[in-house]
Every structure is written in C-alpha cells, then in structure tokens.
Amino acid sequence: MNQLLEKILALKEKLKESTLIVAHFYQKDEVYALADFTGDSLELAKKSYNSPHKNIVFCGVGFMGQSVKILSPEKRVYMPKVACCAMARMIDDISFDKSIKYLNDYGIKNEDILPVAYINCSAEVKAKVGQMDGFICTSANAGEIMNEAIKKNKKIFFIPDKCLGQNIANKMGKTSCIINDGVNPKDVDIICYDGFCSVHQLFSLDDIEFYKEKYPDILIISHPECDPKVVNNSDFVGSTSQMIKYIKTIDKNQKIAVATEFNLVNRMRKENTYVLSSSKPECPTMNETTLQDVYDILNTIDKKEDSIREIFLDEDIIKYANKALSKML
Ligand code: 13P
Ligand code: SF4
C-alpha cells in the first residue's frame, strides 16, 4: 500500500466518530474506493443528512456538498476539491430572474409559474425556487416529482437541464419547449431552461447505430441527461444508481453500451460493457479530486484548522433552498 493511502486510512480511523467520507459514482477509482459511502446524488444527500457525523467530506461537485449544507446547516461540509458541475453554472439567480421576466412578457404571471429544478444547480438558484414554492428533483426521482408538480396546474419552468426536462415531458406525454427558441411558452406544458451537461452531450444517435450494426442485440442504457434522441432509443434510462442496479439483473453474456460518465462505466463491468461514445466521456471536475486532496482535508479537520474548502451559505439562502429541497426528501 502506498504511503499516502496509509496516512489517509490512519486519519480516517482516527476521525471515524466525527467524519463521514462520501463519494459520487463519477469519482476516480482510488477516491471512490476509500469512501465510507458511495451513491447517486439523491442517495448521497440522504445519507449525509441522516448520518450522525458532524463533518461530511464530500467527494463530488459543489452543488452536491451545498445540498448537504442546506439540509443540515449544523454540519460542517468539506469539499476535498472546490469542483463545480458545469451544468449547474449555466444558471444563476440573475438568469433565473431574467427567465421569469421572459415568461411574464408572454403574459404568464408569477403566480402561474412553478419552477422545478434539477438538483444540479447552485444554492442561490434553489433559494429562488423555494421562494416561488417550487420543487427540486434528482435524476432518480424526476418523474415522481414532476407528477406532483403537474397536479398544481401551473406552467412548469424546468431548470437547468433542457435534456432532462424534455425527456420527462416526453415520458409523461406532455409538451415542452426550450426557453427563447421562438415557441410561445403559453402553448406548452413544460418550459425548459437552456442548460445541458457537456459530458452527456457526447452520446449520439450515430453511436447507437454504430453499436446496433455491430451487435444487433446490444442493450442501450442511458442517463436522462442525454439528448432526447439517445434516450428515446435506449432500452433503459435511469440515474447512476438505477443503471448500476439494472445492469446487475442482466445476463453476463449480454452486450451493453452505456451512456454516462467514464469512471462509472469502467467500474460497472469490464466484459461486454461498452461506453457509448468514441471519445472518453470524463466529467473534468469530478475527476479533479485526488487522494492528496482527501488527505489534505482530513488533516485540516484533524488539526481543527479553517479551510477554504468548507461550505458556508448565507442564512436566507439556506432557509429558502431548504424549503424546496426538504420537500423532495
Ligand atoms: P445522479 O443523480 O444520477 O448521480 O447524476 C448526477 C449527475 O451529475 C449526472 O451527471
Ligand atoms: Fe455536472 Fe455533467 Fe459532471 Fe454530472 S457529468 S457533474 S451534470 S458536468
């Protein structure tokens, strides 16, 4: 065992009563391997929130750590690397307000708009959603949450992922459009913001056709952040956890092509499992966290030093973001 790993394991043991290390499935193998708990974004939020530990070391991206802080402000949440989800950065509180104004200009009043936010957005944006009595969802529960939202009989404004928004709309038989694309938002059920995940944009219908030609019986499995054309031609669509569970039920000889982040696909099953892309779909920011980062943050906690990697949020932001997020749990 290398020296760094030995030092991490010793610190982990020393801090085990106070500190929980959680890691998202997209983390590098060596970071993933040393976490106390791994999961999709919903499972990680729940586990961290329900754990008795005072400190959470969150190996993932910023919105995930922020979600824990919003749900449990009394906990100290640390990111070993200050890494941000690129999609979450595509919307901020200003562009949120501008989008609402855009809908107002079409004659849709604020009281008739219900924002539904994918958890991949900042705490500030979640607070905006909470102020408008909106909902938060993850890829694991987006359908269920949207079912609840639809019951409110309002115009749904889905942020920030246009692909997830369109995919749920298609699944539910609802109409959708992308904000600013020339369609009158009054004419559709769900208006999607224009955000996307550049990693999941790497998968295309051409890739599916390529694999189907090579292996006619291959199963296509995709994450709902993929383009609707990919999702519509997939045999199974689900969150990272749901894909892992589904693949475990499939015969070992069945060929599968998976459309999600490389670290996860590579870990799922080595034989008969292919990445549905000719280029390597790595999430750059998820890949930034290293063993050294984990060691450094554990050391900071052990020495009770301040860290720029600890998450702090404004009280008002926590209050309104919590209103939307705790409804989901
Ligand atoms: P999951 O909620 O499925 O883990 O997805 C999070 C994410 O960022 C996918 O790109
Ligand atoms: Fe964000 Fe995409 Fe990375 Fe997921 S894979 S964390 S959505 S940039």
Side-chain angles (χ1 to χ4, degrees), residues 23 51 77 97 120 154 189 217 247 250 267 269 272:
S51 94
V77 185
D97 287 345
N120 296 38
K154 291 188 178 191
D189 304 309
D217 295 332
I247 287 176
I250 296 174
R267 211 181 289 127
R269 200 173 60 179
N272 290 328

Side-chain angles (χ1 to χ4, degrees), residues 26 61 63-64 85-88 118 120 197-200 225 261 283 285-286:
Y26 293 168
V61 284
F63 76 84
M64 297 179 173
C85 161
M87 182 207 284
Y118 187 28
N120 296 38
C197 166
S198 45
V199 181
H200 287 86
E225 284 175 15
E261 211 271 345
C283 174
T285 46
M286 280 281 187

